[in-house]
Amino acid sequence: MEKTIYGGKPNNPVGYCCLHCGLLTVKEMKRKNCLGKQCRHLKRFEDHEYWRQRRIAKERKNISRNEIRA
């Protein structure tokens, strides 16, 4: 099993960092601000529950914005 970028052993990684050559958990990804920086080294594990929840939240946000505009 691979290690995280901080050396831990993740149970449920959400992605892989090609720059640091390690797996990423949600907490580590937020700590490094990978999404905020739109890091090109982040390889998402698309089948992970975290990404599905983010898509749903984004869709709800867009629906709310459209309702307010209408």
Side-chain angles (χ1 to χ4, degrees), residues 52-68:
R52 190 179 72 76
Q53 288 175 357
R54 279 184 57 88
R55 272 193 301 275
I56 291 169
K58 217 176 224 187
E59 289 169 4
R60 286 182 183 155
K61 188 176 181 180
N62 288 333
I63 290 169
S64 294
R65 283 183 180 167
N66 292 337
E67 287 175 355
I68 291 171

Side-chain angles (χ1 to χ4, degrees), residues 8-59:
K9 294 182 181 178
N11 293 330
N12 200 9
V14 295
Y16 182 82
C17 179
C18 295
L19 178 65
H20 295 101
C21 299
L23 296 171
L24 287 167
T25 62
V26 175
K27 188 182 260 186
E28 291 169 343
M29 188 177 57
K30 288 181 180 180
R31 185 173 175 188
K32 284 288 193 180
N33 194 22
C34 297
L35 297 178
K37 292 189 272 187
Q38 296 180 348
C39 183
R40 63 189 172 108
H41 302 288
L42 174 65
K43 302 297 179 205
R44 298 178 181 188
F45 298 155
E46 290 294 338
D47 58 336
H48 194 277
E49 180 68 19
Y50 177 76
W51 302 117
R52 190 179 72 76
Q53 288 175 357
R54 279 184 57 88
R55 272 193 301 275
I56 291 169
K58 217 176 224 187
E59 289 169 4

